[in-house]
Amino acid sequence: MLRVNGKPHTLTVDHRSVLLDVLREHLGLTGAKKGCDHGQCGACTVLVDGRRVNGCLLPAVAMDGYDITTVEGLTDGDGEALPPLQQAFLDRDAFQCGYCTPGQICSALGAIAEAEAGHPSHVTDPATPSGQPVPLGPHEIRERLSGNLCRCGAYPNIVSAVEDVIR
């Protein structure tokens, strides 16, 4: 059983199926994209128990009991109001062609949560007290989102969109 966007789904899948394929092909959730299929581009990023993962690398059968959130699960369901980060992506024109946008948004949400929980990145100032929230400046945001590639080059606008929601 997979719990996706708050809803349980009982599925029969090949044990070799990866989470991304099950989300897209069995559940019709096509927000997460198949890019490189090797976990290098981040287009398939979804949240598992609030942490970002590459859906193309995880066996779906290993996700039993976890809460999986895709970009489709970020809205309140009525579609009237976008969550602040999605609205910031629109306001800042941070989506360009849009192919990487769902992965970028899920990755940004995970990165913001990781920083708030005090998880350092490769570029976090070593003087930052352990376990305290890590301030997210442009350099820190770029490093934390470096696992998601945008072939359109929307990076400056993506960083600006993330900054808009953390202020």
Side-chain angles (χ1 to χ4, degrees):
M1 182 179 82
L2 293 179
R3 196 170 40 249
V4 181
N5 299 333
K7 297 178 185 170
H9 299 274
T10 301
L11 303 165
T12 300
V13 299
D14 186 300
H15 69 280
R16 298 167 293 182
S17 297
V18 295
L19 179 60
L20 176 65
D21 291 340
V22 170
L23 292 171
R24 292 181 59 83
E25 296 168 13
H26 292 266
L27 300 178
L29 298 169
T30 58
K33 302 293 190 273
K34 183 176 281 195
C36 66
D37 211 17
H38 291 76
Q40 297 174 339
C41 72
C44 62
T45 303
V46 296
L47 302 170
V48 174
D49 285 349
R51 299 194 65 165
R52 50 199 169 145
V53 300
N54 293 110
C56 72
L57 298 179
L58 293 174
V61 295
M63 297 293 98
D64 185 19
Y66 291 95
D67 284 315
I68 300 160
T69 304
T70 69
V71 72
E72 292 94 340
L74 301 179
T75 61
D76 58 8
D78 65 8
E80 293 294 321
L82 290 175
L85 185 59
Q86 287 178 290
Q87 186 61 54
F89 266 66
L90 286 172
D91 294 343
R92 292 288 189 165
D93 193 22
F95 49 85
Q96 303 258 335
C97 83
Y99 194 81
C100 72
T101 304
Q104 295 276 6
I105 289 173
C106 285
S107 185
L109 287 171
I112 292 168
E114 291 165 12
E116 288 174 351
H119 299 289
S121 78
H122 180 67
V123 299
T124 300
D125 182 348
T128 302
S130 180
Q132 296 297 311
V134 176
L136 287 176
H139 191 55
E140 186 79 40
I141 293 168
R142 283 187 189 94
E143 169 60 21
R144 289 179 185 265
L145 297 183
S146 64
N148 291 74
L149 302 178
C150 174
R151 288 169 177 86
C152 298
Y155 297 116
N157 296 347
I158 292 169
V159 171
S160 297
V162 173
E163 288 178 312
D164 285 351
V165 297
I166 60 174
R167 291 183 187 152

